[in-house]
Amino acid sequence: MRTGLLAGRLFRSYGLVVMAAAVLAGCEQRRYVIVPVSGRITFEGKPTEGIHVTFQPQGGGPASVGVTDKEGRYTLRRIDTQQPGALVGTHRVYFSLEAENVAADDAGRPVKSRLPEKYRKGMITFTIRPGGTDQADFQLTSRP
């Protein structure tokens, strides 16, 4: 009789451990809704090649990045898996010019960006809807 009672307690304890592990594993492998996102970026009214754009979800999760081609077009890819697209939701958007992605020039002086702080510091937001978009367009200027 005592053996059956002990076995029942062990089985329940083991069951709780398995259940807790399953819940924790579910938290670690959170499912994100990823949708296609692309667009066009102009700088001073012209398409500009080499603009890096980063979408960082405000609710947490992996960022997505893209780089413009000579027509100013870009397509986002998740930074962690390289899967095309971005998470559904509101994102802070960061921009940088590829040519300025160095800490100093050849003489060792800091490189001054042609992009105002509002673009470099994520002060722009963009909301990605469940269907995705091919019109995540931005018109950047050198004016603050």
Side-chain angles (χ1 to χ4, degrees), residues 2-3 15 23 36 47 61 65 68 85 92 94 116 121 128 135 143-144:
R2 291 190 69 103
T3 306
V23 167
V65 297
T68 57
R92 289 194 180 279
Y94 300 83
K121 302 287 184 174
I128 298 172
Q135 295 180 11
R143 294 182 303 278

Side-chain angles (χ1 to χ4, degrees), residues 8 21 31 35 42 51 53 68 79 88 90 103-104 106 108 125 127 134 136:
R31 297 265 182 215
V35 295
T42 58
I51 296 178
V53 59
T68 57
I79 200 166
V88 169
T90 301
D106 292 338
T125 60
T127 300
D134 62 356

Side-chain angles (χ1 to χ4, degrees), residues 99-114 120:
E100 298 175 351
N101 283 342
V102 292
D105 65 12
D106 292 338
R109 296 177 299 244
V111 174
K112 182 170 173 19
S113 179
R114 294 183 296 155
R120 295 179 286 118

Side-chain angles (χ1 to χ4, degrees), residues 8-100:
R9 285 185 182 165
L10 284 174
F11 182 73
R12 277 193 299 271
S13 295
Y14 177 73
L16 288 175
V17 168
V18 169
M19 217 166 56
V23 167
L24 290 175
C27 291
E28 290 298 316
Q29 297 179 354
R30 186 173 162 190
R31 297 265 182 215
Y32 298 108
V33 177
I34 308 298
V35 295
V37 177
S38 61
R40 187 167 188 248
I41 300 173
T42 58
F43 181 61
E44 301 296 0
K46 299 176 189 157
T48 304
E49 185 174 16
I51 296 178
H52 287 250
V53 59
T54 303
F55 279 56
Q56 180 62 57
Q58 287 187 325
S64 292
V65 297
V67 180
T68 57
D69 62 16
K70 61 186 171 189
E71 284 136 21
R73 301 202 179 283
Y74 71 94
T75 300
L76 292 180
R77 296 179 92 58
R78 272 182 53 179
I79 200 166
D80 59 342
T81 64
Q82 294 303 305
Q83 173 187 9
L87 276 67
V88 169
T90 301
H91 297 251
R92 289 194 180 279
V93 184
Y94 300 83
F95 302 91
S96 65
L97 295 170
E98 189 171 52
E100 298 175 351

